[in-house]
Amino acid sequence: MVNPDGSPKYTPHGLRHFFASTALAHGIPIHEVSRWLGHKSIKTTVDVYGHLVPASWDRCRTVMQTALRPGSPTA
């Protein structure tokens, strides 16, 4: 597929970014995505895609708060 100007609609770089962004947005751990992308350091992945996983902090906080509640079924 091509754009009206003749440039490719999909590029390897664009598909790579789509893969990483979609995986992270659906809860795949960033260290796994980093490994699959072949980054030498997870810092590279975090620098580029870290803004896509802010909900993970919210999920972690919820899990910890639930675990620390007296009488909680997960405590």
Side-chain angles (χ1 to χ4, degrees), residues 27-47:
I28 303 298
I30 198 165
H31 70 278
E32 291 291 334
V33 174
S34 181
R35 184 171 53 90
W36 296 336
L37 292 174
H39 291 160
K40 290 182 181 180
S41 167
I42 193 170
K43 183 181 181 318
T44 302
T45 316
V46 171
D47 288 349

Side-chain angles (χ1 to χ4, degrees), residues 3 13 18 21-22 24 26-27 32 35 37 42 44 46 52 58 61 68-69 75:
N3 289 319
H13 177 78
F18 171 79
S21 300
T22 303
L24 291 169
H26 287 85
E32 291 291 334
R35 184 171 53 90
L37 292 174
I42 193 170
T44 302
V46 171
L52 298 175
D58 293 334
R61 183 179 59 246
L68 293 171
R69 284 190 191 117

